[in-house]
Amino acid sequence: MSNWRPDSWHEKTAAQQVTYPDEAKLRAVATEMGRLPPLVTSWEIEALKGHLAKAARGEAFVLQGGDCAESFDDCSSESIAAKLKILLQMSLVLVHGSRRPVVRVGRIAGQYAKPRSTDYETRDGVTLPAYRGDNVNRPGFTEAERRPEPELMLRGYERASLTLNFIRALADGGFADMEHPEYWDLSFAKTSRHAGEYERIVGAIRESLSFTRAVSGLDLADLRRIEFFTSHEGLSLHYEEAQTRRVPRREGWYDLSTHYPWIGMRTAQLDGAHVEFFRGIQNPIAIKVGAAMTEEWLLGLLEALNPHRELGRITLIHRVGADKVTEYLPKLVSWVERAKHPVLWVCDPMHGNTETTADGIKTRRFDRILFEVEAALDVHNKMGTVQGGVHFELTGENVTECMGGASGIDAGDLKRDYRTKVDPRLNCDQALEMAMLIASRARRQR
Ligand code: PEP
Ligand code: CO
């Protein structure tokens, strides 16, 4: 790694970046961020890498989820607690179905920068720079709000730190109520043909929790402590570079802005700045893989990012869409298998299944999402490889952004509570139901 430095990416072309007009301000922000304490630690990162290696071998399962784009306004106790709650519920349901430990990873505490398919947005004849996430500019449609400001990165770092502080506190002692029926509200599924099965799953989970407590003699607080990891797209390289450091008694550099950054679809160019930055950090990293990926490109990425073929280092998050998964995923898997590169396969059934309604609203269908997850599981079963996890855009609140599921949201409901700043998310009922259906299938296959 002799020719790598946290800033060596500057010599390459970085896709999806903004130009900050005030260089001096940018440097001041980067210096300040580099001086402040890190958000995560190297030992947490190494522990996660170990869990991901297990998931790649089929001994654990990864549940990754959260907002498409976190927003500064949503950095509130209700929103954070609700997200943690739904991820915890889903994870318990998946543990129950798969009998494998579940590694919980949020798209949280730093998911503040977004790639966009167009640089500009036009409304009523006015054209302004696209919104690129709260770390970069603001969603309001005025010139001032769309101007990129380096200070927003510092605000984002602070929001990430506040979010993480609350998550750590909740994960350590909170969620006392898992055994109580009120914690599990299944009213959305009353009329579903699966209602009885959902009730049985929750009953079994609650019983297992009290049984474990009784036989282990452990204090409830010990049982409640949960492990939780953070992830975000490592899109803004200024933000990532500023938080990349050496740590005592370990080799190499760690990106301490998050445990598990990923390279997005739009920034995975082999000769690009993102691959240059990511190749030098010790974190486990993920790569989003869409249907445009070729064999040469993918193997090039794996060689560049994991030359020592370390298990747990690379996750491939495929997001090809329900229409293409059956045809395309087997190709992806066979390229990687032939090259004998160890990877963890995670299915993102969201980003290949986005559509726009006749009213111009961006949405996704529950059935398409479920279809892609199930088809991916079938592909891996057939090929003798491991589907090691799932990746969802979701929220703990009952928004109306995706259609379908037992609560029956249809196109007409979307306007009722549509809040996302970028992509549509599963709401908490849809997310819990999705976990139930994946878990039921896992149980049948056990
Ligand atoms: C995302 O995860 O929000 C995203 C933009 O994904 P992709 O890079 O796969 O399109
Ligand atoms: Co998204």
Side-chain angles (χ1 to χ4, degrees):
M1 223 38 93
S2 56
N3 51 357
W4 185 90
R5 296 177 320 275
D7 66 354
S8 55
W9 63 268
H10 292 250
E11 289 146 30
K12 308 268 181 176
T13 305
Q16 297 280 340
Q17 303 298 292
V18 289
T19 315
Y20 291 102
D22 191 339
E23 268 279 331
K25 231 192 233 173
L26 175 63
R27 271 198 307 276
V29 163
T31 307
E32 173 84 359
M33 231 180 338
R35 204 179 53 73
L36 290 166
L39 295 175
V40 303
T41 64
S42 62
W43 55 91
E44 292 166 342
I45 290 173
E46 290 299 334
L48 173 62
K49 213 190 266 177
H51 298 332
L52 298 178
K54 282 198 180 133
R57 291 195 298 261
E59 297 159 14
F61 193 75
V62 174
L63 170 65
Q64 186 172 23
D67 293 314
C68 178
E70 284 180 277
S71 92
F72 290 178
D73 290 345
D74 267 358
C75 183
S76 67
S77 66
E78 295 79 20
S79 158
I80 298 165
K83 246 177 278 179
L84 204 56
K85 177 179 175 184
I86 185 62
L87 286 168
L88 181 58
Q89 286 177 319
M90 291 172 83
S91 71
L92 291 175
V93 166
L94 290 169
V95 169
H96 178 75
S98 68
R99 293 290 188 268
R100 284 188 261 170
V102 169
V103 187
R104 303 174 193 93
V105 183
R107 287 174 63 112
I108 203 165
Q111 178 57 12
Y112 291 126
K114 297 304 299 172
R116 302 314 303 257
S117 35
T118 50
D119 287 345
Y120 292 94
E121 186 184 343
T122 301
R123 287 189 203 172
D124 304 324
V126 181
T127 299
L128 291 174
Y131 168 62
R132 290 183 172 273
D134 280 5
N135 258 6
V136 179
N137 56 7
R138 280 148 295 167
F141 197 70
T142 64
E143 208 173 320
E145 285 165 295
R146 291 297 171 90
R147 192 179 310 130
E149 296 283 357
E151 276 95 348
L152 291 174
M153 279 192 275
L154 212 42
R155 300 290 89 77
Y157 160 86
E158 290 157 1
R159 290 291 199 286
S161 140
L162 295 169
T163 303
L164 203 46
N165 180 57
F166 191 44
I167 290 175
R168 289 189 195 282
L170 289 174
D172 209 31
F175 295 105
D177 312 329
M178 284 184 288
E179 285 169 76
H180 297 279
E182 311 83 75
Y183 185 85
W184 300 91
D185 176 11
L186 294 176
S187 53
F188 69 89
K190 270 200 302 279
T191 56
S192 153
R193 64 193 165 91
H194 300 294
E197 189 177 4
Y198 297 169
E199 293 286 351
R200 274 193 300 282
I201 294 175
V202 166
I205 292 172
R206 289 177 42 220
E207 211 158 281
S208 313
L209 288 169
S210 21
F211 178 77
T212 312
R213 183 158 50 87
V215 293
S216 67
L218 283 175
D219 185 338
L220 243 190
D222 293 317
L223 283 176
R224 273 190 235 135
R225 188 163 301 139
I226 58 164
E227 237 184 338
F228 190 85
F229 298 96
T230 64
S231 68
H232 64 247
E233 177 169 351
L235 181 68
S236 167
L237 293 174
H238 295 291
Y239 184 80
E240 305 305 326
E241 177 195 330
Q243 300 185 63
T244 296
R245 308 164 190 203
R246 286 188 186 279
V247 299
R249 289 176 296 284
R250 283 190 207 275
E251 298 262 319
W253 295 79
Y254 285 82
D255 179 350
L256 299 177
S257 75
T258 186
H259 299 113
Y260 188 19
W262 76 83
I263 306 185
M265 262 282 294
R266 294 161 191 79
T267 49
Q269 299 79 11
L270 260 179
D271 56 353
H274 290 79
V275 170
E276 172 59 20
F277 174 78
F278 272 76
R279 83 183 169 92
I281 56 174
Q282 297 297 315
N283 307 52
I285 61 182
I287 311 168
K288 291 284 207 103
V289 180
M293 184 62 76
T294 62
E295 179 173 13
E296 199 188 348
W297 183 6
L298 183 58
L299 298 186
L301 287 170
L302 295 176
E303 280 302 321
L305 295 166
N306 194 19
H308 304 301
R309 301 184 181 225
E310 184 190 359
L311 185 65
R313 159 78 171 164
I314 302 277
T315 301
L316 294 181
I317 305 178
H318 51 86
R319 28 87 81 227
V320 298
D323 295 335
K324 298 202 181 115
V325 59
T326 309
E327 183 219 322
Y328 188 72
L329 183 58
K331 289 191 205 163
L332 272 179
V333 173
S334 64
W335 298 338
V336 174
E337 286 289 294
R338 262 206 309 273
K340 297 198 167 47
H341 258 288
V343 304
L344 164 63
W345 293 100
V346 167
C347 174
D348 165 359
M350 310 301 289
H351 287 89
N353 294 311
T354 314
E355 57 183 279
T356 305
T357 64
D359 297 346
I361 303 174
K362 227 191 203 191
T363 189
R364 291 161 171 157
R365 287 170 203 269
F366 187 92
D367 290 346
R368 308 295 287 161
I369 296 168
L370 179 63
F371 181 92
E372 185 163 352
V373 175
E374 298 207 308
L377 285 164
D378 287 339
V379 166
H380 284 289
N381 282 346
K382 233 183 261 158
M383 299 186 73
T385 44
V386 176
Q387 180 73 57
V390 282
H391 179 120
F392 293 109
E393 286 186 341
L394 55 79
T395 169
E397 285 141 308
N398 257 326
V399 300
T400 56
E401 298 170 7
C402 291
M403 297 193 288
S407 55
I409 296 175
D410 60 26
D413 296 317
L414 291 177
K415 285 200 179 121
R416 203 172 59 232
D417 199 0
Y418 192 96
R419 290 188 234 165
T420 183
K421 301 268 186 322
V422 187
D423 289 339
R425 304 160 294 178
L426 293 173
N427 67 23
C428 63
D429 291 345
Q430 290 167 326
L432 185 57
E433 186 174 14
M434 187 65 67
M436 294 275 185
L437 292 169
I438 297 170
S440 300
R441 185 193 145 114
R443 192 168 47 252
R444 285 196 302 277
Q445 288 188 341
R446 236 176 24 228

